[in-house]
Structures are given as C-alpha cells and as structure tokens.
Amino acid sequence: QVQLVESGGGLVQPGGSLRLSCAASGFPFTSSGMRWYRQAPGKEREWVASINGAGDDTVRRESLRDRFTISRDNMKNTVYLEMKDLKPEDTAVYYCRYRSVSGSEYWGQGTQVTVSS
C-alpha cells in the first residue's frame, strides 16, 4: 500500500536551512510526480512545489522560488525539499503528496518546521 513518510523538520532560527525528506513506497515512484504542501496553524493548506517523475521538471510557488528547491532521488524512492533563509512565516507542517492516475490522493503524516528565535 502507499506509504509516505516525511522527516527532517525541527526548530530552526530565522535565516537557517533545513532539508526535508519524503520516503515513498507502495506505488510506481519513479514514474510519479510528487508535491510538497504545507499548512500553518489556522491557515489553509498551500502548495509549495512539484516535481515530475524523472526529476527534470519542477515548479515552485512563486514566492518561494528563491529559497526552496524540490528534488528527488529515484534510487532511494525519496523526494526532498531544501529550504534556506527560513522565515517565521515558513512555520508549518510540511507534507508530501502523491496522486494516483485514478485521482486518489495520499499524504504522509507531515513533519513540523518551526522557525523562531
């Protein structure tokens, strides 16, 4: 069955960096596009970045393009989100998402990122 496990979150000071990981299994990962989303307390979940199966086509939220990078390692069935120059407004639970060809959505448990002094 589909399984997505995010990791790499934590407490970081403003201006710091983190790399999040999403370990995937149970579906054809190498041919599947993946997305990162985040949700801050009291806010709607928002899309962060997308990457295609081959890893040679990415799209990032415009406001994050200078600071966030999505990538993947298909040999490890893992998608990454590299974040730099983190700001307090980046504080959120970060999720990776897979959508099957039939339209079913699968989410990991999320990993908490807290940016605070």
Side-chain angles (χ1 to χ4, degrees), residues 38 46 60-67:
R38 67 185 184 182
E46 69 176 14
R60 291 170 285 178
R61 189 177 187 88
E62 184 174 2
S63 61
L64 302 175
R65 289 176 185 173
D66 292 336
R67 301 189 296 114

Side-chain angles (χ1 to χ4, degrees), residues 3 5 13 15 19 22 24 28 36 49-50 55 72-76 81 85 91-92 95 103 105 110 114-115:
Q3 188 169 15
V5 181
Q13 293 184 340
R19 187 177 77 162
C22 174
W36 284 98
S50 302
R72 67 194 297 159
D73 185 343
N74 284 347
M75 296 295 294
K76 297 180 178 180
L81 183 67
D85 191 24
T91 295
Y95 301 91
E105 293 187 343
T114 302
V115 185

Side-chain angles (χ1 to χ4, degrees), residues 33-40 43-52 57-65 68-70 79 81 90 92-99 105 107:
M34 299 291 294
R35 290 183 175 184
W36 284 98
Y37 288 80
R38 67 185 184 182
Q39 187 167 27
K43 303 294 184 181
E44 292 293 312
R45 182 169 54 198
E46 69 176 14
W47 167 77
V48 172
S50 302
I51 189 167
N52 71 335
D57 187 18
T58 63
V59 185
R60 291 170 285 178
R61 189 177 187 88
E62 184 174 2
S63 61
L64 302 175
R65 289 176 185 173
F68 286 23
T69 301
I70 188 170
V79 61
L81 183 67
D90 296 321
V93 178
Y94 285 71
Y95 301 91
C96 65
R97 190 216 70 178
Y98 160 66
R99 186 166 65 190
E105 293 187 343
W107 301 83

Side-chain angles (χ1 to χ4, degrees), residues 7-26:
S7 62
L11 176 63
V12 63
Q13 293 184 340
S17 300
L18 285 173
R19 187 177 77 162
L20 308 183
S21 299
C22 174
S25 61

